[in-house]
Amino acid sequence: MKHLLSAADLSRSEIDSILDLAEEMADVQRRPIKKLPTLRGRTVVNLFFEDSTRTRSSFEIAGKWLSADVINVSAKGSSVSKGESLRDTVQVIDAMGVDGMVIRHSASGAPAQAAGWIRGSVVNAGDGTHEHPTQALLDALSMRRHFRSLRGGFDEDWSGKTVAITGDLTHSRVVRSNVLLLRTLGAKVVLVAPPTLLPSGVTTWPAEVSTDFDAVLGEVDVAMMLRVQRERMSGGYFPTPREYTIGYGLTTDRLAKLRPDAAILHPGPVNRGLEMAADAADAGASRILDQVAAGVAVRMSVLYHVLGGADDKETNA
Amino acid sequence: MTELLITGARLIGGDAGDLLIRDGVFVDPASAGSDVERIDADGLIALPGLVDTHCHLREPGREDAETIESGTRAAARGGYTAVLAMANVNPVTDTAEAVEHMKAVAAETASAAVHPVGAVTKGLAGEELAELGLMARAGVRLFSDDGKCVHDSLVMRRALEYVRAFDGVIAQHAQDPRLAGAGACCHEGEISGRLGLGGWPAVAESVIVARDVQLAEMTGSRYHVCHVSTAESIDVIRWAKARGINVTAEVTPHHLLLTTSAVEGYDPTFKVNPPLRPDEHVEALREALADGTIECVGTDHAPHAAHDKDHAFSDAAFGMLGLEASLAVVMDTMVAEGRLDWAGVAERMAYAPARIAGLTDQGRPLEVGEPANLVLVDPERRRTVDRAASLSKSRNNPYHGRDLPDPVRLTLWAGRTTFRDL
Ligand SMILES: [Zn+2]
């Protein structure tokens, strides 16, 4: 795997391979000395055109535990405002001989464009309102762990599982990657939002679409809540936070209507009281903190697959 | 004075004939002198020099992207003998002095007639009318804030009313700035939703066109829709014409050929305003150009330096080159499809644009006594477009790598050879 730009790039076997290796990496996380020599001598640049402490730290820790040299470059505001083009920025870094770039950008498609301009590998760490494939992978890892923890376990057959993704779907990169990844895994996805926050063309996505959260609550195995930016209010996407919460929030009432073994996910940070009630975030079925932990393991696995696994790949092929 | 005799060219109307040019004018071929320069045009089609209602020459202000000299060389390469140069340069063409300046530069350097378009509002700000009357005295007939929409209904009303005094035309870049706001960079639909690109809904164009044709009816003024891109706009224009409203429209070559799917790889070359639309709109545009609902082709030639395009898609500049490939695209999308014959091409690319822009010495038939504006067209020759071969200073060529006709063999502007490839 040269790049990870979109969840659509991943086959079922690649997803399983990433998640399986992530579980091994998670064991490293639990060791007193969290260091593997796997990527020694490799250099990874975290090129962040947009702030995200959470994602950047997660990639940084992942790289360092694999012994890669990790350099953080904050390019925020540097490209258009300084007159330097995105192409210049990535080509200059590429010319220094780095092996991979982890790119976060406020514009959709920027990592895909970069991949066409450079020799090294690119991992998409979130691009605009497009995708966030490592988030979808860590969500899948959290879901898989949850299903395995249930009585009866999990036979890796996702086709019986239903995931409801609720919130600001239009502006969410998490939802696009999750829909693509969950389709490949075979799970059923239900997308829930007010009509103003449904992406154009959503009816062509491999998912069901609903504007009625209560109608789908009882059948879901996973309730994935998305962050709702309060700024969306001024954009007229919904009248008031109160109305949003009553219609689409994971309120205490709705929590009670969820199946008892349903997992609750949220990519964080949670607006408590808006998209979910505080007790929902902290409920027994909440996997939100596990998502954060899974993030490092998944990113270790992705970095290994992109930067370290090339030789294995060829012999396996 | 030298004479040029073109022999055997196929003229519109069918037959082959000879054309003699003396002192920049067509004269009787029988009067050719013995030392006349001859061009054998056997197998070629003679069309009036093409007229572009809409291009961006970037001078003054962004001479790194294009100049009047380079832009009109590209125009001549594309068979054009006159272009309307949009006002969104720096400084904006919103005064008679700016108009005169552009004309003076053109007189020194241009390979085609350059007619400055005047801004509708000062600084293209959409608030106060620019000095429309003074610009009209300097020869301007077409006014546009192109690049921006005149979105204030009252300003639009006043502009339409005001230019009636001198038979001016308001050419609108129809884009509701709220429906297609700051982030809009891709036709709103399945592709924009999937790629996460800001949606520019089709209706953002047609609501403005609908408002404007009603204002044009009320004021009795001439209104021109720039770069029509949607089926709904065409419906509105048809309705307006049926009511006798004085509305004309243009379509760009890229909207006739390319579709939204071109942006799948996030290549900023394909970022254009209005955006590329899906098939059903492209089909409606071709149909409307064929039946005359859309009178003419305007290239919206929009050169950009690489450092303005090599950004993330949503950050990159809008626009693509158009002058050199315009006729080629019309041939493949309209002539080859049987939707336009060569007389139709002359009408849509020379006669109608000249009429709309109020030009009297362009878009004229190839007849004795008329100015010698001419393009010789090879209907068979094709090429693979290479952006490096462009005469424009910029390389944002959406046809790079595509097989297209390569028709232009000779362009004459007022008898002067501005492009020759035979
Ligand atoms: Zn325009």
Side-chain angles (χ1 to χ4, degrees), chain A residues 79-80 84-87 105 107-109 113 129-130 176 200-201 204-205, chain B residues 188-190 192-197 266 268 310-315:
Chain A
S79 124
V80 182
E84 186 184 36
S85 69
L86 177 65
R87 185 199 285 255
H105 203 293
S108 302
Q113 289 174 263
T129 53
H130 179 224
R176 286 170 178 76
S200 49
T204 65
W205 295 14
Chain B
E188 182 174 311
E190 188 272 325
S192 72
R194 180 157 48 81
L195 298 186
L197 292 175
Y266 295 103
D310 285 343
H311 294 286
F313 191 89
S314 58
D315 298 336

PDB file of all heavy atoms in Angstrom, chain A residues 79-80 84-87 105 107-109 113 129-130 176 200-201 204-205, chain B residues 188-190 192-197 266 268 310-315:
ATOM      1  N   SER A  79       0.174  28.505   3.069  1.00  0.00           N
ATOM      2  CA  SER A  79       0.165  28.267   1.641  1.00  0.00           C
ATOM      3  C   SER A  79      -0.391  29.430   0.837  1.00  0.00           C
ATOM      4  O   SER A  79       0.363  30.187   0.239  1.00  0.00           O
ATOM      5  CB  SER A  79      -0.515  26.928   1.385  1.00  0.00           C
ATOM      6  OG  SER A  79      -1.576  27.012   0.542  1.00  0.00           O
ATOM      7  N   VAL A  80      -1.686  29.612   0.874  1.00  0.00           N
ATOM      8  CA  VAL A  80      -2.264  30.632   0.001  1.00  0.00           C
ATOM      9  C   VAL A  80      -1.863  32.044   0.436  1.00  0.00           C
ATOM     10  O   VAL A  80      -1.467  32.874  -0.378  1.00  0.00           O
ATOM     11  CB  VAL A  80      -3.800  30.504  -0.041  1.00  0.00           C
ATOM     12  CG1 VAL A  80      -4.392  31.527  -0.995  1.00  0.00           C
ATOM     13  CG2 VAL A  80      -4.205  29.110  -0.474  1.00  0.00           C
ATOM     14  N   GLU A  84       2.752  30.809  -1.381  1.00  0.00           N
ATOM     15  CA  GLU A  84       3.365  29.525  -1.720  1.00  0.00           C
ATOM     16  C   GLU A  84       2.262  28.532  -2.036  1.00  0.00           C
ATOM     17  O   GLU A  84       1.271  28.451  -1.321  1.00  0.00           O
ATOM     18  CB  GLU A  84       4.199  29.019  -0.542  1.00  0.00           C
ATOM     19  CG  GLU A  84       4.972  27.760  -0.868  1.00  0.00           C
ATOM     20  CD  GLU A  84       5.716  27.219   0.356  1.00  0.00           C
ATOM     21  OE1 GLU A  84       5.192  27.313   1.470  1.00  0.00           O
ATOM     22  OE2 GLU A  84       6.811  26.696   0.168  1.00  0.00           O
ATOM     23  N   SER A  85       2.444  27.783  -3.091  1.00  0.00           N
ATOM     24  CA  SER A  85       1.382  26.859  -3.466  1.00  0.00           C
ATOM     25  C   SER A  85       1.504  25.557  -2.688  1.00  0.00           C
ATOM     26  O   SER A  85       2.563  25.221  -2.159  1.00  0.00           O
ATOM     27  CB  SER A  85       1.427  26.584  -4.962  1.00  0.00           C
ATOM     28  OG  SER A  85       2.571  25.825  -5.285  1.00  0.00           O
ATOM     29  N   LEU A  86       0.413  24.836  -2.634  1.00  0.00           N
ATOM     30  CA  LEU A  86       0.420  23.513  -2.002  1.00  0.00           C
ATOM     31  C   LEU A  86       1.455  22.621  -2.675  1.00  0.00           C
ATOM     32  O   LEU A  86       2.198  21.890  -2.027  1.00  0.00           O
ATOM     33  CB  LEU A  86      -0.976  22.886  -2.122  1.00  0.00           C
ATOM     34  CG  LEU A  86      -1.123  21.468  -1.583  1.00  0.00           C
ATOM     35  CD1 LEU A  86      -0.910  21.418  -0.077  1.00  0.00           C
ATOM     36  CD2 LEU A  86      -2.500  20.899  -1.939  1.00  0.00           C
ATOM     37  N   ARG A  87       1.517  22.721  -3.992  1.00  0.00           N
ATOM     38  CA  ARG A  87       2.485  21.902  -4.731  1.00  0.00           C
ATOM     39  C   ARG A  87       3.917  22.223  -4.275  1.00  0.00           C
ATOM     40  O   ARG A  87       4.699  21.315  -4.003  1.00  0.00           O
ATOM     41  CB  ARG A  87       2.345  22.140  -6.241  1.00  0.00           C
ATOM     42  CG  ARG A  87       3.233  21.228  -7.064  1.00  0.00           C
ATOM     43  CD  ARG A  87       3.437  21.765  -8.475  1.00  0.00           C
ATOM     44  NE  ARG A  87       2.306  21.597  -9.338  1.00  0.00           N
ATOM     45  CZ  ARG A  87       2.236  20.668 -10.314  1.00  0.00           C
ATOM     46  NH1 ARG A  87       3.235  19.838 -10.507  1.00  0.00           N
ATOM     47  NH2 ARG A  87       1.182  20.602 -11.073  1.00  0.00           N
ATOM     48  N   HIS A 105      -5.547  18.782   6.017  1.00  0.00           N
ATOM     49  CA  HIS A 105      -5.783  20.033   5.279  1.00  0.00           C
ATOM     50  C   HIS A 105      -7.256  20.399   5.378  1.00  0.00           C
ATOM     51  O   HIS A 105      -8.114  19.520   5.391  1.00  0.00           O
ATOM     52  CB  HIS A 105      -5.377  19.858   3.815  1.00  0.00           C
ATOM     53  CG  HIS A 105      -5.053  21.147   3.102  1.00  0.00           C
ATOM     54  ND1 HIS A 105      -6.006  22.107   2.845  1.00  0.00           N
ATOM     55  CD2 HIS A 105      -3.887  21.639   2.619  1.00  0.00           C
ATOM     56  CE1 HIS A 105      -5.433  23.130   2.217  1.00  0.00           C
ATOM     57  NE2 HIS A 105      -4.136  22.878   2.081  1.00  0.00           N
ATOM     58  N   ALA A 107      -8.868  21.710   3.105  1.00  0.00           N
ATOM     59  CA  ALA A 107      -9.478  21.601   1.775  1.00  0.00           C
ATOM     60  C   ALA A 107      -9.597  20.142   1.360  1.00  0.00           C
ATOM     61  O   ALA A 107      -8.642  19.379   1.448  1.00  0.00           O
ATOM     62  CB  ALA A 107      -8.640  22.353   0.743  1.00  0.00           C
ATOM     63  N   SER A 108     -10.762  19.775   0.884  1.00  0.00           N
ATOM     64  CA  SER A 108     -10.986  18.419   0.397  1.00  0.00           C
ATOM     65  C   SER A 108     -10.044  18.120  -0.757  1.00  0.00           C
ATOM     66  O   SER A 108      -9.858  18.956  -1.636  1.00  0.00           O
ATOM     67  CB  SER A 108     -12.435  18.269  -0.083  1.00  0.00           C
ATOM     68  OG  SER A 108     -13.333  18.566   0.961  1.00  0.00           O
ATOM     69  N   GLY A 109      -9.462  16.933  -0.751  1.00  0.00           N
ATOM     70  CA  GLY A 109      -8.650  16.496  -1.887  1.00  0.00           C
ATOM     71  C   GLY A 109      -7.185  16.859  -1.797  1.00  0.00           C
ATOM     72  O   GLY A 109      -6.387  16.369  -2.601  1.00  0.00           O
ATOM     73  N   GLN A 113      -4.150  15.310  -4.078  1.00  0.00           N
ATOM     74  CA  GLN A 113      -3.363  16.131  -4.997  1.00  0.00           C
ATOM     75  C   GLN A 113      -1.877  15.980  -4.685  1.00  0.00           C
ATOM     76  O   GLN A 113      -1.051  15.819  -5.583  1.00  0.00           O
ATOM     77  CB  GLN A 113      -3.772  17.595  -4.876  1.00  0.00           C
ATOM     78  CG  GLN A 113      -5.157  17.894  -5.436  1.00  0.00           C
ATOM     79  CD  GLN A 113      -5.548  19.341  -5.150  1.00  0.00           C
ATOM     80  OE1 GLN A 113      -6.252  19.618  -4.201  1.00  0.00           O
ATOM     81  NE2 GLN A 113      -5.084  20.269  -5.975  1.00  0.00           N
ATOM     82  N   THR A 129     -14.026  18.521   3.990  1.00  0.00           N
ATOM     83  CA  THR A 129     -15.259  17.791   4.285  1.00  0.00           C
ATOM     84  C   THR A 129     -15.293  16.507   3.462  1.00  0.00           C
ATOM     85  O   THR A 129     -16.344  16.035   3.075  1.00  0.00           O
ATOM     86  CB  THR A 129     -16.497  18.646   3.973  1.00  0.00           C
ATOM     87  OG1 THR A 129     -16.387  19.130   2.631  1.00  0.00           O
ATOM     88  CG2 THR A 129     -16.581  19.834   4.907  1.00  0.00           C
ATOM     89  N   HIS A 130     -14.105  15.963   3.197  1.00  0.00           N
ATOM     90  CA  HIS A 130     -14.033  14.773   2.355  1.00  0.00           C
ATOM     91  C   HIS A 130     -13.899  13.503   3.183  1.00  0.00           C
ATOM     92  O   HIS A 130     -14.889  12.858   3.472  1.00  0.00           O
ATOM     93  CB  HIS A 130     -12.872  14.925   1.356  1.00  0.00           C
ATOM     94  CG  HIS A 130     -12.679  13.766   0.460  1.00  0.00           C
ATOM     95  ND1 HIS A 130     -11.431  13.249   0.174  1.00  0.00           N
ATOM     96  CD2 HIS A 130     -13.567  13.012  -0.210  1.00  0.00           C
ATOM     97  CE1 HIS A 130     -11.575  12.231  -0.648  1.00  0.00           C
ATOM     98  NE2 HIS A 130     -12.842  12.059  -0.901  1.00  0.00           N
ATOM     99  N   ARG A 176     -18.005  10.151   5.592  1.00  0.00           N
ATOM    100  CA  ARG A 176     -17.705   9.626   4.250  1.00  0.00           C
ATOM    101  C   ARG A 176     -16.789   8.413   4.342  1.00  0.00           C
ATOM    102  O   ARG A 176     -16.993   7.406   3.669  1.00  0.00           O
ATOM    103  CB  ARG A 176     -17.100  10.734   3.383  1.00  0.00           C
ATOM    104  CG  ARG A 176     -18.159  11.758   2.950  1.00  0.00           C
ATOM    105  CD  ARG A 176     -17.531  12.978   2.291  1.00  0.00           C
ATOM    106  NE  ARG A 176     -18.540  13.929   1.840  1.00  0.00           N
ATOM    107  CZ  ARG A 176     -19.214  14.756   2.627  1.00  0.00           C
ATOM    108  NH1 ARG A 176     -19.006  14.746   3.925  1.00  0.00           N
ATOM    109  NH2 ARG A 176     -20.111  15.580   2.125  1.00  0.00           N
ATOM    110  N   SER A 200     -25.378  16.509  -0.558  1.00  0.00           N
ATOM    111  CA  SER A 200     -26.059  16.334  -1.838  1.00  0.00           C
ATOM    112  C   SER A 200     -25.648  14.994  -2.435  1.00  0.00           C
ATOM    113  O   SER A 200     -24.495  14.575  -2.337  1.00  0.00           O
ATOM    114  CB  SER A 200     -25.741  17.483  -2.797  1.00  0.00           C
ATOM    115  OG  SER A 200     -24.366  17.708  -2.859  1.00  0.00           O
ATOM    116  N   GLY A 201     -26.610  14.311  -2.994  1.00  0.00           N
ATOM    117  CA  GLY A 201     -26.349  13.007  -3.591  1.00  0.00           C
ATOM    118  C   GLY A 201     -26.289  11.873  -2.578  1.00  0.00           C
ATOM    119  O   GLY A 201     -25.904  10.761  -2.923  1.00  0.00           O
ATOM    120  N   THR A 204     -27.416   8.315  -3.206  1.00  0.00           N
ATOM    121  CA  THR A 204     -26.646   7.370  -4.025  1.00  0.00           C
ATOM    122  C   THR A 204     -25.576   6.653  -3.199  1.00  0.00           C
ATOM    123  O   THR A 204     -24.875   5.799  -3.712  1.00  0.00           O
ATOM    124  CB  THR A 204     -25.944   8.089  -5.194  1.00  0.00           C
ATOM    125  OG1 THR A 204     -24.955   8.991  -4.660  1.00  0.00           O
ATOM    126  CG2 THR A 204     -26.929   8.888  -6.035  1.00  0.00           C
ATOM    127  N   TRP A 205     -25.434   7.020  -1.948  1.00  0.00           N
ATOM    128  CA  TRP A 205     -24.428   6.375  -1.099  1.00  0.00           C
ATOM    129  C   TRP A 205     -24.924   4.986  -0.682  1.00  0.00           C
ATOM    130  O   TRP A 205     -26.138   4.758  -0.600  1.00  0.00           O
ATOM    131  CB  TRP A 205     -24.149   7.223   0.152  1.00  0.00           C
ATOM    132  CG  TRP A 205     -23.515   8.566  -0.122  1.00  0.00           C
ATOM    133  CD1 TRP A 205     -23.415   9.200  -1.328  1.00  0.00           C
ATOM    134  CD2 TRP A 205     -22.916   9.444   0.837  1.00  0.00           C
ATOM    135  NE1 TRP A 205     -22.788  10.416  -1.167  1.00  0.00           N
ATOM    136  CE2 TRP A 205     -22.471  10.587   0.147  1.00  0.00           C
ATOM    137  CE3 TRP A 205     -22.705   9.362   2.220  1.00  0.00           C
ATOM    138  CZ2 TRP A 205     -21.832  11.654   0.799  1.00  0.00           C
ATOM    139  CZ3 TRP A 205     -22.071  10.426   2.864  1.00  0.00           C
ATOM    140  CH2 TRP A 205     -21.631  11.560   2.155  1.00  0.00           C
TER     141      TRP A 205
ATOM    142  N   GLU B 188     -23.223  21.429  -7.475  1.00  0.00           N
ATOM    143  CA  GLU B 188     -23.787  20.724  -6.334  1.00  0.00           C
ATOM    144  C   GLU B 188     -24.551  19.500  -6.809  1.00  0.00           C
ATOM    145  O   GLU B 188     -25.500  19.610  -7.582  1.00  0.00           O
ATOM    146  CB  GLU B 188     -24.722  21.642  -5.543  1.00  0.00           C
ATOM    147  CG  GLU B 188     -25.296  20.944  -4.322  1.00  0.00           C
ATOM    148  CD  GLU B 188     -26.116  21.873  -3.454  1.00  0.00           C
ATOM    149  OE1 GLU B 188     -25.639  22.974  -3.121  1.00  0.00           O
ATOM    150  OE2 GLU B 188     -27.249  21.496  -3.123  1.00  0.00           O
ATOM    151  N   GLY B 189     -24.115  18.351  -6.366  1.00  0.00           N
ATOM    152  CA  GLY B 189     -24.747  17.107  -6.778  1.00  0.00           C
ATOM    153  C   GLY B 189     -24.005  15.939  -6.182  1.00  0.00           C
ATOM    154  O   GLY B 189     -23.283  16.094  -5.185  1.00  0.00           O
ATOM    155  N   GLU B 190     -24.160  14.814  -6.789  1.00  0.00           N
ATOM    156  CA  GLU B 190     -23.583  13.582  -6.245  1.00  0.00           C
ATOM    157  C   GLU B 190     -22.069  13.717  -6.072  1.00  0.00           C
ATOM    158  O   GLU B 190     -21.509  13.326  -5.039  1.00  0.00           O
ATOM    159  CB  GLU B 190     -23.930  12.420  -7.187  1.00  0.00           C
ATOM    160  CG  GLU B 190     -23.556  11.047  -6.664  1.00  0.00           C
ATOM    161  CD  GLU B 190     -22.141  10.632  -7.027  1.00  0.00           C
ATOM    162  OE1 GLU B 190     -21.671  10.983  -8.125  1.00  0.00           O
ATOM    163  OE2 GLU B 190     -21.490   9.980  -6.207  1.00  0.00           O
ATOM    164  N   SER B 192     -20.082  16.507  -5.838  1.00  0.00           N
ATOM    165  CA  SER B 192     -19.652  17.452  -4.798  1.00  0.00           C
ATOM    166  C   SER B 192     -19.868  16.851  -3.411  1.00  0.00           C
ATOM    167  O   SER B 192     -19.034  17.003  -2.518  1.00  0.00           O
ATOM    168  CB  SER B 192     -20.395  18.787  -4.924  1.00  0.00           C
ATOM    169  OG  SER B 192     -21.751  18.657  -4.535  1.00  0.00           O
ATOM    170  N   GLY B 193     -20.997  16.148  -3.240  1.00  0.00           N
ATOM    171  CA  GLY B 193     -21.285  15.548  -1.943  1.00  0.00           C
ATOM    172  C   GLY B 193     -20.282  14.470  -1.584  1.00  0.00           C
ATOM    173  O   GLY B 193     -19.838  14.368  -0.447  1.00  0.00           O
ATOM    174  N   ARG B 194     -19.912  13.685  -2.577  1.00  0.00           N
ATOM    175  CA  ARG B 194     -18.975  12.579  -2.332  1.00  0.00           C
ATOM    176  C   ARG B 194     -17.557  13.092  -2.118  1.00  0.00           C
ATOM    177  O   ARG B 194     -16.835  12.618  -1.245  1.00  0.00           O
ATOM    178  CB  ARG B 194     -19.030  11.628  -3.528  1.00  0.00           C
ATOM    179  CG  ARG B 194     -18.127  10.438  -3.447  1.00  0.00           C
ATOM    180  CD  ARG B 194     -18.623   9.292  -4.333  1.00  0.00           C
ATOM    181  NE  ARG B 194     -18.976   9.728  -5.680  1.00  0.00           N
ATOM    182  CZ  ARG B 194     -18.086   9.917  -6.668  1.00  0.00           C
ATOM    183  NH1 ARG B 194     -16.799   9.744  -6.430  1.00  0.00           N
ATOM    184  NH2 ARG B 194     -18.486  10.276  -7.873  1.00  0.00           N
ATOM    185  N   LEU B 195     -17.143  14.071  -2.915  1.00  0.00           N
ATOM    186  CA  LEU B 195     -15.772  14.582  -2.796  1.00  0.00           C
ATOM    187  C   LEU B 195     -15.631  15.594  -1.659  1.00  0.00           C
ATOM    188  O   LEU B 195     -14.526  16.009  -1.334  1.00  0.00           O
ATOM    189  CB  LEU B 195     -15.325  15.242  -4.100  1.00  0.00           C
ATOM    190  CG  LEU B 195     -15.261  14.379  -5.362  1.00  0.00           C
ATOM    191  CD1 LEU B 195     -14.660  15.165  -6.508  1.00  0.00           C
ATOM    192  CD2 LEU B 195     -14.462  13.107  -5.125  1.00  0.00           C
ATOM    193  N   GLY B 196     -16.762  16.025  -1.112  1.00  0.00           N
ATOM    194  CA  GLY B 196     -16.693  17.021  -0.044  1.00  0.00           C
ATOM    195  C   GLY B 196     -16.284  18.386  -0.552  1.00  0.00           C
ATOM    196  O   GLY B 196     -15.590  19.133   0.138  1.00  0.00           O
ATOM    197  N   LEU B 197     -16.698  18.717  -1.758  1.00  0.00           N
ATOM    198  CA  LEU B 197     -16.404  20.041  -2.314  1.00  0.00           C
ATOM    199  C   LEU B 197     -17.638  20.934  -2.183  1.00  0.00           C
ATOM    200  O   LEU B 197     -18.771  20.464  -2.316  1.00  0.00           O
ATOM    201  CB  LEU B 197     -16.016  19.928  -3.796  1.00  0.00           C
ATOM    202  CG  LEU B 197     -14.687  19.230  -4.070  1.00  0.00           C
ATOM    203  CD1 LEU B 197     -14.478  19.064  -5.578  1.00  0.00           C
ATOM    204  CD2 LEU B 197     -13.517  19.989  -3.452  1.00  0.00           C
ATOM    205  N   TYR B 266      -9.633  15.973  -8.346  1.00  0.00           N
ATOM    206  CA  TYR B 266      -9.314  17.246  -7.680  1.00  0.00           C
ATOM    207  C   TYR B 266      -8.287  18.066  -8.462  1.00  0.00           C
ATOM    208  O   TYR B 266      -7.540  18.853  -7.881  1.00  0.00           O
ATOM    209  CB  TYR B 266      -8.776  17.027  -6.264  1.00  0.00           C
ATOM    210  CG  TYR B 266      -9.748  16.419  -5.272  1.00  0.00           C
ATOM    211  CD1 TYR B 266      -9.670  15.077  -4.909  1.00  0.00           C
ATOM    212  CD2 TYR B 266     -10.723  17.205  -4.667  1.00  0.00           C
ATOM    213  CE1 TYR B 266     -10.538  14.530  -3.975  1.00  0.00           C
ATOM    214  CE2 TYR B 266     -11.591  16.649  -3.731  1.00  0.00           C
ATOM    215  CZ  TYR B 266     -11.491  15.326  -3.382  1.00  0.00           C
ATOM    216  OH  TYR B 266     -12.337  14.801  -2.455  1.00  0.00           O
ATOM    217  N   PRO B 268      -7.078  21.075 -10.160  1.00  0.00           N
ATOM    218  CA  PRO B 268      -7.593  22.453 -10.196  1.00  0.00           C
ATOM    219  C   PRO B 268      -7.704  23.029 -11.607  1.00  0.00           C
ATOM    220  O   PRO B 268      -8.337  24.067 -11.793  1.00  0.00           O
ATOM    221  CB  PRO B 268      -6.570  23.249  -9.373  1.00  0.00           C
ATOM    222  CG  PRO B 268      -5.874  22.240  -8.532  1.00  0.00           C
ATOM    223  CD  PRO B 268      -5.843  20.981  -9.364  1.00  0.00           C
ATOM    224  N   ASP B 310      -1.851  25.802  -8.438  1.00  0.00           N
ATOM    225  CA  ASP B 310      -1.273  24.649  -7.748  1.00  0.00           C
ATOM    226  C   ASP B 310      -1.614  24.610  -6.263  1.00  0.00           C
ATOM    227  O   ASP B 310      -0.754  24.369  -5.412  1.00  0.00           O
ATOM    228  CB  ASP B 310       0.252  24.638  -7.917  1.00  0.00           C
ATOM    229  CG  ASP B 310       0.661  24.206  -9.317  1.00  0.00           C
ATOM    230  OD1 ASP B 310      -0.185  23.621 -10.021  1.00  0.00           O
ATOM    231  OD2 ASP B 310       1.812  24.448  -9.707  1.00  0.00           O
ATOM    232  N   HIS B 311      -2.861  24.882  -5.976  1.00  0.00           N
ATOM    233  CA  HIS B 311      -3.329  24.829  -4.594  1.00  0.00           C
ATOM    234  C   HIS B 311      -4.323  23.687  -4.454  1.00  0.00           C
ATOM    235  O   HIS B 311      -4.703  23.060  -5.448  1.00  0.00           O
ATOM    236  CB  HIS B 311      -4.011  26.147  -4.224  1.00  0.00           C
ATOM    237  CG  HIS B 311      -3.082  27.319  -4.198  1.00  0.00           C
ATOM    238  ND1 HIS B 311      -2.170  27.522  -3.192  1.00  0.00           N
ATOM    239  CD2 HIS B 311      -2.911  28.343  -5.066  1.00  0.00           C
ATOM    240  CE1 HIS B 311      -1.482  28.629  -3.428  1.00  0.00           C
ATOM    241  NE2 HIS B 311      -1.910  29.140  -4.571  1.00  0.00           N
ATOM    242  N   ALA B 312      -4.751  23.476  -3.206  1.00  0.00           N
ATOM    243  CA  ALA B 312      -5.868  22.564  -3.007  1.00  0.00           C
ATOM    244  C   ALA B 312      -7.030  23.063  -3.861  1.00  0.00           C
ATOM    245  O   ALA B 312      -7.169  24.264  -4.099  1.00  0.00           O
ATOM    246  CB  ALA B 312      -6.260  22.549  -1.536  1.00  0.00           C
ATOM    247  N   PHE B 313      -7.865  22.141  -4.324  1.00  0.00           N
ATOM    248  CA  PHE B 313      -8.917  22.490  -5.281  1.00  0.00           C
ATOM    249  C   PHE B 313      -9.738  23.694  -4.818  1.00  0.00           C
ATOM    250  O   PHE B 313      -9.957  24.641  -5.582  1.00  0.00           O
ATOM    251  CB  PHE B 313      -9.828  21.275  -5.502  1.00  0.00           C
ATOM    252  CG  PHE B 313     -10.773  21.435  -6.658  1.00  0.00           C
ATOM    253  CD1 PHE B 313     -10.404  21.045  -7.932  1.00  0.00           C
ATOM    254  CD2 PHE B 313     -12.039  21.973  -6.471  1.00  0.00           C
ATOM    255  CE1 PHE B 313     -11.267  21.194  -9.010  1.00  0.00           C
ATOM    256  CE2 PHE B 313     -12.908  22.125  -7.538  1.00  0.00           C
ATOM    257  CZ  PHE B 313     -12.520  21.742  -8.809  1.00  0.00           C
ATOM    258  N   SER B 314     -10.167  23.684  -3.568  1.00  0.00           N
ATOM    259  CA  SER B 314     -11.044  24.768  -3.131  1.00  0.00           C
ATOM    260  C   SER B 314     -10.302  26.088  -2.962  1.00  0.00           C
ATOM    261  O   SER B 314     -10.921  27.145  -2.914  1.00  0.00           O
ATOM    262  CB  SER B 314     -11.759  24.391  -1.826  1.00  0.00           C
ATOM    263  OG  SER B 314     -10.814  24.101  -0.825  1.00  0.00           O
ATOM    264  N   ASP B 315      -8.971  26.051  -2.894  1.00  0.00           N
ATOM    265  CA  ASP B 315      -8.184  27.282  -2.748  1.00  0.00           C
ATOM    266  C   ASP B 315      -7.691  27.820  -4.093  1.00  0.00           C
ATOM    267  O   ASP B 315      -7.249  28.961  -4.187  1.00  0.00           O
ATOM    268  CB  ASP B 315      -6.942  27.030  -1.878  1.00  0.00           C
ATOM    269  CG  ASP B 315      -7.295  26.600  -0.464  1.00  0.00           C
ATOM    270  OD1 ASP B 315      -8.406  26.926  -0.011  1.00  0.00           O
ATOM    271  OD2 ASP B 315      -6.468  25.931   0.180  1.00  0.00           O
TER     272      ASP B 315
END
